[in-house]
Amino acid sequence: MALKEVRGWLTNIGVLASRPAAFVLFLIYAALWIVFGNGLEWHSLATLATWGMTLVIQRAEHRDTQAIHAKLDELLKVHGDAKNSLMTIDDKDAEEVERQRAQVRAS
């Protein structure tokens, strides 16, 4: 499997973790852990709380990022000198975005 494919998978997993369905899966997992695991010991609660907060933070970050992208897309559309190709840059891997930013800074 190519490195580019792995990066794509990792990005997709991050996006999926920001979806509301991830919270449902988390709740199902937590219930199964409590029923079939060690119950509600302190370390179990700490682990579940950490995972839950990670999902909340991921969701908030994803929402903020999408809002910023929507605003920037709108600015690119109304500004006549802007390159329309930049509107799709968020579909690329992080490394490709960094290379694009370096090219923009250099020009």
Side-chain angles (χ1 to χ4, degrees):
M1 187 180 297
L3 185 59
K4 190 171 187 173
E5 289 180 33
V6 172
R7 289 179 185 158
W9 276 90
L10 292 173
T11 300
N12 290 334
I13 290 170
V15 170
L16 289 174
S18 68
R19 302 283 188 226
F23 291 95
V24 174
L25 289 175
F26 168 73
L27 293 174
I28 292 169
Y29 184 83
L32 290 173
W33 184 336
I34 292 168
V35 171
F36 296 111
N38 295 334
L40 288 177
E41 295 178 359
W42 71 269
H43 67 278
S44 298
L45 284 174
T47 301
L48 290 173
T50 302
W51 286 356
M53 288 306 300
T54 301
L55 287 175
V56 169
I57 292 167
Q58 179 71 15
R59 177 75 177 160
E61 284 290 321
H62 184 69
R63 183 198 65 230
D64 291 347
T65 301
Q66 293 304 314
I68 290 169
H69 282 281
K71 292 173 185 178
L72 290 173
D73 287 346
E74 182 65 23
L75 289 172
L76 286 170
K77 279 183 8 182
V78 299
H79 194 280
D81 295 334
K83 297 178 191 172
N84 286 337
S85 63
L86 291 177
M87 289 179 59
T88 60
I89 197 168
D90 52 315
D91 295 332
K92 298 180 180 181
D93 289 332
E95 291 77 14
E96 293 177 60
V97 173
E98 289 172 4
R99 281 192 293 275
Q100 181 73 30
R101 287 185 69 206
Q103 289 175 354
V104 169
R105 287 183 191 150
S107 59

